[in-house]
PDB file of all heavy atoms in Angstrom:
ATOM      1  N   MET A   1     163.193 -28.314 -78.029  1.00  0.00           N
ATOM      2  CA  MET A   1     162.212 -27.401 -78.705  1.00  0.00           C
ATOM      3  C   MET A   1     161.940 -26.236 -77.777  1.00  0.00           C
ATOM      4  O   MET A   1     161.375 -26.357 -76.692  1.00  0.00           O
ATOM      5  CB  MET A   1     160.949 -28.152 -79.039  1.00  0.00           C
ATOM      6  CG  MET A   1     159.933 -27.361 -79.805  1.00  0.00           C
ATOM      7  SD  MET A   1     158.508 -28.292 -80.232  1.00  0.00           S
ATOM      8  CE  MET A   1     159.190 -29.556 -81.359  1.00  0.00           C
ATOM      9  N   ALA A   2     162.355 -24.987 -78.167  1.00  0.00           N
ATOM     10  CA  ALA A   2     162.186 -23.829 -77.335  1.00  0.00           C
ATOM     11  C   ALA A   2     160.800 -23.408 -77.178  1.00  0.00           C
ATOM     12  O   ALA A   2     160.359 -22.941 -76.134  1.00  0.00           O
ATOM     13  CB  ALA A   2     163.046 -22.681 -77.839  1.00  0.00           C
ATOM     14  N   GLN A   3     159.916 -23.567 -78.201  1.00  0.00           N
ATOM     15  CA  GLN A   3     158.548 -23.262 -78.111  1.00  0.00           C
ATOM     16  C   GLN A   3     157.781 -24.546 -77.668  1.00  0.00           C
ATOM     17  O   GLN A   3     157.444 -25.442 -78.457  1.00  0.00           O
ATOM     18  CB  GLN A   3     157.978 -22.787 -79.443  1.00  0.00           C
ATOM     19  CG  GLN A   3     158.473 -21.385 -79.816  1.00  0.00           C
ATOM     20  CD  GLN A   3     157.951 -20.972 -81.209  1.00  0.00           C
ATOM     21  OE1 GLN A   3     158.210 -21.617 -82.251  1.00  0.00           O
ATOM     22  NE2 GLN A   3     157.240 -19.893 -81.267  1.00  0.00           N
ATOM     23  N   LEU A   4     157.556 -24.620 -76.363  1.00  0.00           N
ATOM     24  CA  LEU A   4     157.056 -25.850 -75.725  1.00  0.00           C
ATOM     25  C   LEU A   4     155.666 -26.247 -76.270  1.00  0.00           C
ATOM     26  O   LEU A   4     155.377 -27.438 -76.274  1.00  0.00           O
ATOM     27  CB  LEU A   4     157.049 -25.738 -74.223  1.00  0.00           C
ATOM     28  CG  LEU A   4     158.399 -25.528 -73.561  1.00  0.00           C
ATOM     29  CD1 LEU A   4     158.309 -25.426 -72.055  1.00  0.00           C
ATOM     30  CD2 LEU A   4     159.366 -26.623 -73.938  1.00  0.00           C
ATOM     31  N   ILE A  46     153.283 -26.522 -68.065  1.00  0.00           N
ATOM     32  CA  ILE A  46     154.575 -25.881 -68.308  1.00  0.00           C
ATOM     33  C   ILE A  46     154.703 -25.091 -69.559  1.00  0.00           C
ATOM     34  O   ILE A  46     155.205 -24.017 -69.638  1.00  0.00           O
ATOM     35  CB  ILE A  46     155.662 -26.978 -68.274  1.00  0.00           C
ATOM     36  CG1 ILE A  46     155.726 -27.638 -66.847  1.00  0.00           C
ATOM     37  CG2 ILE A  46     156.996 -26.460 -68.702  1.00  0.00           C
ATOM     38  CD1 ILE A  46     156.618 -28.854 -66.714  1.00  0.00           C
ATOM     39  N   ALA A  49     152.835 -21.946 -69.050  1.00  0.00           N
ATOM     40  CA  ALA A  49     153.690 -21.072 -68.230  1.00  0.00           C
ATOM     41  C   ALA A  49     154.729 -20.346 -69.042  1.00  0.00           C
ATOM     42  O   ALA A  49     154.933 -19.143 -68.815  1.00  0.00           O
ATOM     43  CB  ALA A  49     154.337 -21.911 -67.130  1.00  0.00           C
ATOM     44  N   GLN A  50     155.315 -21.030 -70.021  1.00  0.00           N
ATOM     45  CA  GLN A  50     156.264 -20.419 -70.885  1.00  0.00           C
ATOM     46  C   GLN A  50     155.662 -19.221 -71.619  1.00  0.00           C
ATOM     47  O   GLN A  50     156.299 -18.121 -71.756  1.00  0.00           O
ATOM     48  CB  GLN A  50     156.865 -21.388 -71.863  1.00  0.00           C
ATOM     49  CG  GLN A  50     157.984 -20.787 -72.788  1.00  0.00           C
ATOM     50  CD  GLN A  50     158.401 -21.677 -73.834  1.00  0.00           C
ATOM     51  OE1 GLN A  50     157.562 -22.168 -74.593  1.00  0.00           O
ATOM     52  NE2 GLN A  50     159.713 -21.899 -74.013  1.00  0.00           N
ATOM     53  N   LEU A  53     155.259 -16.275 -69.329  1.00  0.00           N
ATOM     54  CA  LEU A  53     156.537 -15.673 -68.943  1.00  0.00           C
ATOM     55  C   LEU A  53     157.332 -15.070 -70.082  1.00  0.00           C
ATOM     56  O   LEU A  53     158.334 -14.385 -69.887  1.00  0.00           O
ATOM     57  CB  LEU A  53     157.404 -16.696 -68.225  1.00  0.00           C
ATOM     58  CG  LEU A  53     156.727 -17.317 -67.011  1.00  0.00           C
ATOM     59  CD1 LEU A  53     157.594 -18.414 -66.416  1.00  0.00           C
ATOM     60  CD2 LEU A  53     156.482 -16.263 -65.922  1.00  0.00           C
ATOM     61  N   CYS A  54     156.882 -15.320 -71.343  1.00  0.00           N
ATOM     62  CA  CYS A  54     157.625 -14.839 -72.480  1.00  0.00           C
ATOM     63  C   CYS A  54     157.790 -13.347 -72.416  1.00  0.00           C
ATOM     64  O   CYS A  54     156.815 -12.584 -72.111  1.00  0.00           O
ATOM     65  CB  CYS A  54     156.971 -15.258 -73.778  1.00  0.00           C
ATOM     66  SG  CYS A  54     157.837 -14.639 -75.267  1.00  0.00           S
ATOM     67  N   GLU A  55     159.004 -12.848 -72.712  1.00  0.00           N
ATOM     68  CA  GLU A  55     159.291 -11.424 -72.666  1.00  0.00           C
ATOM     69  C   GLU A  55     158.787 -10.624 -73.854  1.00  0.00           C
ATOM     70  O   GLU A  55     158.724  -9.401 -73.805  1.00  0.00           O
ATOM     71  CB  GLU A  55     160.800 -11.214 -72.559  1.00  0.00           C
ATOM     72  CG  GLU A  55     161.410 -11.855 -71.296  1.00  0.00           C
ATOM     73  CD  GLU A  55     162.961 -11.932 -71.382  1.00  0.00           C
ATOM     74  OE1 GLU A  55     163.512 -11.415 -72.387  1.00  0.00           O
ATOM     75  OE2 GLU A  55     163.613 -12.463 -70.485  1.00  0.00           O
ATOM     76  N   LYS A  56     158.343 -11.333 -74.915  1.00  0.00           N
ATOM     77  CA  LYS A  56     158.039 -10.645 -76.153  1.00  0.00           C
ATOM     78  C   LYS A  56     156.553 -10.851 -76.637  1.00  0.00           C
ATOM     79  O   LYS A  56     155.951  -9.806 -77.078  1.00  0.00           O
ATOM     80  CB  LYS A  56     158.958 -11.136 -77.262  1.00  0.00           C
ATOM     81  CG  LYS A  56     160.416 -10.765 -77.004  1.00  0.00           C
ATOM     82  CD  LYS A  56     161.285 -11.225 -78.183  1.00  0.00           C
ATOM     83  CE  LYS A  56     162.793 -10.825 -77.955  1.00  0.00           C
ATOM     84  NZ  LYS A  56     163.618 -11.231 -79.111  1.00  0.00           N
ATOM     85  N   ALA A  60     154.354 -17.827 -77.129  1.00  0.00           N
ATOM     86  CA  ALA A  60     155.757 -17.548 -76.705  1.00  0.00           C
ATOM     87  C   ALA A  60     156.680 -17.581 -77.953  1.00  0.00           C
ATOM     88  O   ALA A  60     156.490 -18.393 -78.846  1.00  0.00           O
ATOM     89  CB  ALA A  60     156.220 -18.630 -75.747  1.00  0.00           C
ATOM     90  N   CYS A  61     157.684 -16.667 -77.882  1.00  0.00           N
ATOM     91  CA  CYS A  61     158.628 -16.582 -79.052  1.00  0.00           C
ATOM     92  C   CYS A  61     159.578 -17.736 -79.141  1.00  0.00           C
ATOM     93  O   CYS A  61     160.057 -18.087 -80.190  1.00  0.00           O
ATOM     94  CB  CYS A  61     159.349 -15.276 -78.949  1.00  0.00           C
ATOM     95  SG  CYS A  61     160.527 -15.128 -77.612  1.00  0.00           S
ATOM     96  N   GLY A  62     159.872 -18.297 -77.926  1.00  0.00           N
ATOM     97  CA  GLY A  62     160.869 -19.402 -77.897  1.00  0.00           C
ATOM     98  C   GLY A  62     162.318 -18.964 -78.004  1.00  0.00           C
ATOM     99  O   GLY A  62     163.204 -19.783 -77.993  1.00  0.00           O
ATOM    100  N   LEU A  63     162.499 -17.646 -78.077  1.00  0.00           N
ATOM    101  CA  LEU A  63     163.887 -17.155 -78.305  1.00  0.00           C
ATOM    102  C   LEU A  63     164.417 -16.229 -77.165  1.00  0.00           C
ATOM    103  O   LEU A  63     165.622 -16.084 -77.041  1.00  0.00           O
ATOM    104  CB  LEU A  63     163.934 -16.378 -79.672  1.00  0.00           C
ATOM    105  CG  LEU A  63     163.569 -17.146 -80.898  1.00  0.00           C
ATOM    106  CD1 LEU A  63     163.516 -16.163 -82.084  1.00  0.00           C
ATOM    107  CD2 LEU A  63     164.577 -18.219 -81.175  1.00  0.00           C
ATOM    108  N   CYS A  64     163.510 -15.655 -76.438  1.00  0.00           N
ATOM    109  CA  CYS A  64     163.905 -14.699 -75.356  1.00  0.00           C
ATOM    110  C   CYS A  64     164.556 -15.503 -74.265  1.00  0.00           C
ATOM    111  O   CYS A  64     164.447 -16.748 -74.102  1.00  0.00           O
ATOM    112  CB  CYS A  64     162.759 -13.839 -74.871  1.00  0.00           C
ATOM    113  SG  CYS A  64     161.534 -14.716 -74.031  1.00  0.00           S
ATOM    114  N   GLY A  65     165.161 -14.745 -73.315  1.00  0.00           N
ATOM    115  CA  GLY A  65     165.855 -15.429 -72.148  1.00  0.00           C
ATOM    116  C   GLY A  65     164.920 -16.206 -71.339  1.00  0.00           C
ATOM    117  O   GLY A  65     165.197 -17.315 -70.903  1.00  0.00           O
ATOM    118  N   SER A  66     163.745 -15.679 -71.092  1.00  0.00           N
ATOM    119  CA  SER A  66     162.704 -16.380 -70.218  1.00  0.00           C
ATOM    120  C   SER A  66     162.299 -17.690 -70.921  1.00  0.00           C
ATOM    121  O   SER A  66     162.188 -18.684 -70.281  1.00  0.00           O
ATOM    122  CB  SER A  66     161.528 -15.507 -70.001  1.00  0.00           C
ATOM    123  OG  SER A  66     160.591 -16.174 -69.202  1.00  0.00           O
ATOM    124  N   CYS A  67     161.958 -17.607 -72.196  1.00  0.00           N
ATOM    125  CA  CYS A  67     161.547 -18.814 -72.930  1.00  0.00           C
ATOM    126  C   CYS A  67     162.596 -19.887 -72.915  1.00  0.00           C
ATOM    127  O   CYS A  67     162.351 -21.094 -72.702  1.00  0.00           O
ATOM    128  CB  CYS A  67     161.214 -18.452 -74.399  1.00  0.00           C
ATOM    129  SG  CYS A  67     159.630 -17.736 -74.653  1.00  0.00           S
ATOM    130  N   LEU A  68     163.869 -19.458 -73.112  1.00  0.00           N
ATOM    131  CA  LEU A  68     164.942 -20.469 -73.117  1.00  0.00           C
ATOM    132  C   LEU A  68     165.225 -21.047 -71.747  1.00  0.00           C
ATOM    133  O   LEU A  68     165.437 -22.271 -71.585  1.00  0.00           O
ATOM    134  CB  LEU A  68     166.261 -19.846 -73.631  1.00  0.00           C
ATOM    135  CG  LEU A  68     166.182 -19.382 -75.129  1.00  0.00           C
ATOM    136  CD1 LEU A  68     167.480 -18.628 -75.482  1.00  0.00           C
ATOM    137  CD2 LEU A  68     166.051 -20.652 -75.993  1.00  0.00           C
ATOM    138  N   ARG A  69     165.075 -20.252 -70.667  1.00  0.00           N
ATOM    139  CA  ARG A  69     165.246 -20.778 -69.333  1.00  0.00           C
ATOM    140  C   ARG A  69     164.164 -21.762 -69.045  1.00  0.00           C
ATOM    141  O   ARG A  69     164.469 -22.851 -68.401  1.00  0.00           O
ATOM    142  CB  ARG A  69     165.221 -19.625 -68.301  1.00  0.00           C
ATOM    143  CG  ARG A  69     166.496 -18.842 -68.318  1.00  0.00           C
ATOM    144  CD  ARG A  69     166.540 -17.871 -67.116  1.00  0.00           C
ATOM    145  NE  ARG A  69     165.603 -16.757 -67.249  1.00  0.00           N
ATOM    146  CZ  ARG A  69     165.864 -15.622 -67.905  1.00  0.00           C
ATOM    147  NH1 ARG A  69     166.998 -15.425 -68.463  1.00  0.00           N
ATOM    148  NH2 ARG A  69     164.915 -14.681 -67.948  1.00  0.00           N
ATOM    149  N   VAL A  70     162.883 -21.486 -69.362  1.00  0.00           N
ATOM    150  CA  VAL A  70     161.862 -22.507 -69.099  1.00  0.00           C
ATOM    151  C   VAL A  70     162.056 -23.677 -69.917  1.00  0.00           C
ATOM    152  O   VAL A  70     161.874 -24.839 -69.417  1.00  0.00           O
ATOM    153  CB  VAL A  70     160.473 -21.849 -69.383  1.00  0.00           C
ATOM    154  CG1 VAL A  70     159.353 -22.868 -69.302  1.00  0.00           C
ATOM    155  CG2 VAL A  70     160.140 -20.678 -68.463  1.00  0.00           C
ATOM    156  N   SER A  71     162.425 -23.602 -71.114  1.00  0.00           N
ATOM    157  CA  SER A  71     162.653 -24.705 -72.060  1.00  0.00           C
ATOM    158  C   SER A  71     163.783 -25.629 -71.520  1.00  0.00           C
ATOM    159  O   SER A  71     163.673 -26.843 -71.426  1.00  0.00           O
ATOM    160  CB  SER A  71     162.984 -24.242 -73.468  1.00  0.00           C
ATOM    161  OG  SER A  71     163.230 -25.375 -74.326  1.00  0.00           O
ATOM    162  N   ASN A  72     164.924 -24.999 -71.085  1.00  0.00           N
ATOM    163  CA  ASN A  72     166.015 -25.781 -70.479  1.00  0.00           C
ATOM    164  C   ASN A  72     165.634 -26.438 -69.245  1.00  0.00           C
ATOM    165  O   ASN A  72     165.988 -27.584 -69.008  1.00  0.00           O
ATOM    166  CB  ASN A  72     167.225 -24.845 -70.357  1.00  0.00           C
ATOM    167  CG  ASN A  72     167.771 -24.365 -71.645  1.00  0.00           C
ATOM    168  OD1 ASN A  72     167.617 -25.010 -72.691  1.00  0.00           O
ATOM    169  ND2 ASN A  72     168.511 -23.249 -71.603  1.00  0.00           N
ATOM    170  N   TRP A  73     164.885 -25.728 -68.446  1.00  0.00           N
ATOM    171  CA  TRP A  73     164.433 -26.299 -67.156  1.00  0.00           C
ATOM    172  C   TRP A  73     163.487 -27.503 -67.404  1.00  0.00           C
ATOM    173  O   TRP A  73     163.614 -28.512 -66.701  1.00  0.00           O
ATOM    174  CB  TRP A  73     163.708 -25.222 -66.352  1.00  0.00           C
ATOM    175  CG  TRP A  73     162.958 -25.748 -65.143  1.00  0.00           C
ATOM    176  CD1 TRP A  73     163.479 -26.115 -63.895  1.00  0.00           C
ATOM    177  CD2 TRP A  73     161.572 -26.012 -65.070  1.00  0.00           C
ATOM    178  NE1 TRP A  73     162.436 -26.560 -63.102  1.00  0.00           N
ATOM    179  CE2 TRP A  73     161.309 -26.531 -63.762  1.00  0.00           C
ATOM    180  CE3 TRP A  73     160.516 -25.856 -65.975  1.00  0.00           C
ATOM    181  CZ2 TRP A  73     160.026 -26.877 -63.304  1.00  0.00           C
ATOM    182  CZ3 TRP A  73     159.259 -26.229 -65.526  1.00  0.00           C
ATOM    183  CH2 TRP A  73     159.054 -26.696 -64.273  1.00  0.00           C
ATOM    184  N   ALA A  74     162.595 -27.377 -68.366  1.00  0.00           N
ATOM    185  CA  ALA A  74     161.627 -28.434 -68.688  1.00  0.00           C
ATOM    186  C   ALA A  74     162.381 -29.690 -69.115  1.00  0.00           C
ATOM    187  O   ALA A  74     162.036 -30.811 -68.825  1.00  0.00           O
ATOM    188  CB  ALA A  74     160.650 -28.014 -69.703  1.00  0.00           C
ATOM    189  N   SER A  75     163.449 -29.473 -69.952  1.00  0.00           N
ATOM    190  CA  SER A  75     164.239 -30.615 -70.422  1.00  0.00           C
ATOM    191  C   SER A  75     164.938 -31.267 -69.248  1.00  0.00           C
ATOM    192  O   SER A  75     164.977 -32.538 -69.206  1.00  0.00           O
ATOM    193  CB  SER A  75     165.288 -30.160 -71.437  1.00  0.00           C
ATOM    194  OG  SER A  75     164.638 -29.558 -72.601  1.00  0.00           O
ATOM    195  N   ALA A  76     165.490 -30.537 -68.323  1.00  0.00           N
ATOM    196  CA  ALA A  76     166.115 -31.126 -67.144  1.00  0.00           C
ATOM    197  C   ALA A  76     165.093 -31.830 -66.294  1.00  0.00           C
ATOM    198  O   ALA A  76     165.428 -32.937 -65.730  1.00  0.00           O
ATOM    199  CB  ALA A  76     166.774 -30.012 -66.340  1.00  0.00           C
ATOM    200  N   LEU A  77     163.893 -31.321 -66.159  1.00  0.00           N
ATOM    201  CA  LEU A  77     162.872 -31.926 -65.329  1.00  0.00           C
ATOM    202  C   LEU A  77     162.438 -33.308 -65.921  1.00  0.00           C
ATOM    203  O   LEU A  77     162.149 -34.235 -65.215  1.00  0.00           O
ATOM    204  CB  LEU A  77     161.636 -31.055 -65.332  1.00  0.00           C
ATOM    205  CG  LEU A  77     160.481 -31.508 -64.419  1.00  0.00           C
ATOM    206  CD1 LEU A  77     160.928 -31.339 -62.931  1.00  0.00           C
ATOM    207  CD2 LEU A  77     159.227 -30.682 -64.632  1.00  0.00           C
ATOM    208  N   THR A  89     161.387 -27.336 -57.787  1.00  0.00           N
ATOM    209  CA  THR A  89     162.383 -26.740 -58.686  1.00  0.00           C
ATOM    210  C   THR A  89     161.667 -25.676 -59.534  1.00  0.00           C
ATOM    211  O   THR A  89     160.498 -25.526 -59.516  1.00  0.00           O
ATOM    212  CB  THR A  89     162.989 -27.795 -59.569  1.00  0.00           C
ATOM    213  OG1 THR A  89     163.961 -27.214 -60.400  1.00  0.00           O
ATOM    214  CG2 THR A  89     161.924 -28.442 -60.488  1.00  0.00           C
ATOM    215  N   GLY A  90     162.499 -24.894 -60.267  1.00  0.00           N
ATOM    216  CA  GLY A  90     161.868 -23.857 -61.130  1.00  0.00           C
ATOM    217  C   GLY A  90     162.934 -22.927 -61.653  1.00  0.00           C
ATOM    218  O   GLY A  90     164.120 -23.160 -61.611  1.00  0.00           O
ATOM    219  N   THR A  91     162.460 -21.866 -62.206  1.00  0.00           N
ATOM    220  CA  THR A  91     163.335 -20.731 -62.630  1.00  0.00           C
ATOM    221  C   THR A  91     163.037 -19.547 -61.792  1.00  0.00           C
ATOM    222  O   THR A  91     162.335 -19.654 -60.772  1.00  0.00           O
ATOM    223  CB  THR A  91     162.960 -20.352 -64.127  1.00  0.00           C
ATOM    224  OG1 THR A  91     161.718 -19.711 -64.208  1.00  0.00           O
ATOM    225  CG2 THR A  91     162.993 -21.654 -64.984  1.00  0.00           C
ATOM    226  N   GLU A  92     163.533 -18.361 -62.128  1.00  0.00           N
ATOM    227  CA  GLU A  92     163.313 -17.169 -61.316  1.00  0.00           C
ATOM    228  C   GLU A  92     161.857 -16.748 -61.316  1.00  0.00           C
ATOM    229  O   GLU A  92     161.369 -16.018 -60.443  1.00  0.00           O
ATOM    230  CB  GLU A  92     164.184 -16.022 -61.780  1.00  0.00           C
ATOM    231  CG  GLU A  92     163.717 -15.215 -63.000  1.00  0.00           C
ATOM    232  CD  GLU A  92     163.797 -15.976 -64.299  1.00  0.00           C
ATOM    233  OE1 GLU A  92     164.428 -17.083 -64.371  1.00  0.00           O
ATOM    234  OE2 GLU A  92     163.082 -15.589 -65.256  1.00  0.00           O
ATOM    235  N   SER A  93     161.057 -17.273 -62.364  1.00  0.00           N
ATOM    236  CA  SER A  93     159.718 -16.855 -62.475  1.00  0.00           C
ATOM    237  C   SER A  93     158.646 -18.055 -62.462  1.00  0.00           C
ATOM    238  O   SER A  93     157.479 -17.841 -62.593  1.00  0.00           O
ATOM    239  CB  SER A  93     159.436 -16.030 -63.734  1.00  0.00           C
ATOM    240  OG  SER A  93     160.297 -14.923 -63.714  1.00  0.00           O
ATOM    241  N   LEU A  94     159.220 -19.213 -62.292  1.00  0.00           N
ATOM    242  CA  LEU A  94     158.397 -20.462 -62.330  1.00  0.00           C
ATOM    243  C   LEU A  94     158.761 -21.412 -61.223  1.00  0.00           C
ATOM    244  O   LEU A  94     159.956 -21.644 -61.007  1.00  0.00           O
ATOM    245  CB  LEU A  94     158.546 -21.142 -63.657  1.00  0.00           C
ATOM    246  CG  LEU A  94     157.887 -22.544 -63.878  1.00  0.00           C
ATOM    247  CD1 LEU A  94     156.397 -22.457 -63.748  1.00  0.00           C
ATOM    248  CD2 LEU A  94     158.290 -23.089 -65.235  1.00  0.00           C
ATOM    249  N   THR A 120     160.515  -9.716 -58.301  1.00  0.00           N
ATOM    250  CA  THR A 120     160.817 -10.269 -59.673  1.00  0.00           C
ATOM    251  C   THR A 120     160.732  -9.143 -60.674  1.00  0.00           C
ATOM    252  O   THR A 120     160.059  -8.139 -60.555  1.00  0.00           O
ATOM    253  CB  THR A 120     159.683 -11.335 -60.061  1.00  0.00           C
ATOM    254  OG1 THR A 120     159.923 -11.807 -61.361  1.00  0.00           O
ATOM    255  CG2 THR A 120     158.392 -10.732 -59.920  1.00  0.00           C
ATOM    256  N   LEU A 121     161.590  -9.311 -61.766  1.00  0.00           N
ATOM    257  CA  LEU A 121     161.603  -8.313 -62.774  1.00  0.00           C
ATOM    258  C   LEU A 121     160.786  -8.742 -63.968  1.00  0.00           C
ATOM    259  O   LEU A 121     160.553  -7.981 -64.925  1.00  0.00           O
ATOM    260  CB  LEU A 121     163.043  -8.111 -63.309  1.00  0.00           C
ATOM    261  CG  LEU A 121     163.990  -7.606 -62.168  1.00  0.00           C
ATOM    262  CD1 LEU A 121     165.465  -7.504 -62.715  1.00  0.00           C
ATOM    263  CD2 LEU A 121     163.565  -6.229 -61.701  1.00  0.00           C
ATOM    264  N   SER A 122     160.243  -9.936 -63.933  1.00  0.00           N
ATOM    265  CA  SER A 122     159.393 -10.454 -65.002  1.00  0.00           C
ATOM    266  C   SER A 122     157.948  -9.931 -64.879  1.00  0.00           C
ATOM    267  O   SER A 122     157.523  -9.567 -63.753  1.00  0.00           O
ATOM    268  CB  SER A 122     159.399 -11.974 -65.049  1.00  0.00           C
ATOM    269  OG  SER A 122     158.898 -12.526 -63.895  1.00  0.00           O
ATOM    270  N   LYS A 123     157.188  -9.981 -65.975  1.00  0.00           N
ATOM    271  CA  LYS A 123     155.847  -9.435 -65.959  1.00  0.00           C
ATOM    272  C   LYS A 123     154.901 -10.420 -65.159  1.00  0.00           C
ATOM    273  O   LYS A 123     153.892  -9.953 -64.601  1.00  0.00           O
ATOM    274  CB  LYS A 123     155.322  -9.237 -67.356  1.00  0.00           C
ATOM    275  CG  LYS A 123     155.307 -10.439 -68.259  1.00  0.00           C
ATOM    276  CD  LYS A 123     154.716 -10.169 -69.631  1.00  0.00           C
ATOM    277  CE  LYS A 123     154.723 -11.392 -70.482  1.00  0.00           C
ATOM    278  NZ  LYS A 123     154.149 -11.109 -71.817  1.00  0.00           N
ATOM    279  N   ASN A 124     155.214 -11.679 -65.244  1.00  0.00           N
ATOM    280  CA  ASN A 124     154.327 -12.657 -64.561  1.00  0.00           C
ATOM    281  C   ASN A 124     155.155 -13.669 -63.798  1.00  0.00           C
ATOM    282  O   ASN A 124     156.355 -13.822 -64.025  1.00  0.00           O
ATOM    283  CB  ASN A 124     153.497 -13.403 -65.582  1.00  0.00           C
ATOM    284  CG  ASN A 124     152.479 -12.553 -66.253  1.00  0.00           C
ATOM    285  OD1 ASN A 124     151.790 -11.738 -65.650  1.00  0.00           O
ATOM    286  ND2 ASN A 124     152.304 -12.694 -67.548  1.00  0.00           N
TER     287      ASN A 124
END
Side-chain angles (χ1 to χ4, degrees):
M1 183 179 294
Q3 290 177 299
L4 298 181
I46 293 172
Q50 185 190 48
L53 300 175
C54 179
E55 298 166 6
K56 296 182 178 180
C61 70
L63 299 174
C64 68
S66 180
C67 281
L68 292 173
R69 284 190 291 274
V70 173
S71 178
N72 292 336
W73 168 79
S75 295
L77 186 70
T89 182
T91 70
E92 81 290 346
S93 301
L94 170 62
T120 178
L121 298 178
S122 61
K123 61 179 180 179
N124 292 319

